[in-house]
Amino acid sequence: MRITYPSIDKLLSRVDSRYSLSVLAAKRAHELEAGDPPTLDHFKCDKSVGKALEEIAAGKIKVDPAHAEINLED
């Protein structure tokens, strides 16, 4: 599967590596599936991983290197 939206360039401008991006997206997707509230009002993607990537591209979530966990941005 190839990511077409959001663009990989935009995603990598928010996260320092492809590995970090994949871990962050997977963790956030699990949170969304568990019922955590989304940080965006509208999504282009229907699946949780796509929604997580959209949130990352929008700068709504990021990796906190000090704690190695997801931080939600207001």
Side-chain angles (χ1 to χ4, degrees):
M1 176 199 263
R2 184 176 179 152
I3 298 173
T4 57
Y5 179 83
S7 74
I8 192 72
D9 293 330
K10 183 165 187 165
L11 291 165
L12 289 175
S13 72
R14 301 279 185 188
V15 181
D16 64 350
S17 71
R18 290 176 187 255
Y19 175 78
S20 296
L21 175 62
S22 63
V23 171
L24 179 61
K27 286 183 177 184
R28 182 61 181 149
H30 283 121
E31 290 177 353
L32 290 169
E33 289 173 354
D36 282 11
T39 62
L40 299 175
D41 293 331
H42 298 90
F43 293 96
K44 288 186 178 181
C45 300
D46 294 328
K47 296 184 178 182
S48 58
V49 173
K51 290 178 182 179
L53 291 172
E54 287 184 49
E55 290 180 339
I56 294 167
K60 296 293 186 179
I61 60 169
K62 63 181 182 176
V63 175
D64 180 356
H67 296 99
E69 60 187 41
I70 296 173
N71 281 338
L72 297 176
E73 296 294 320
D74 291 327

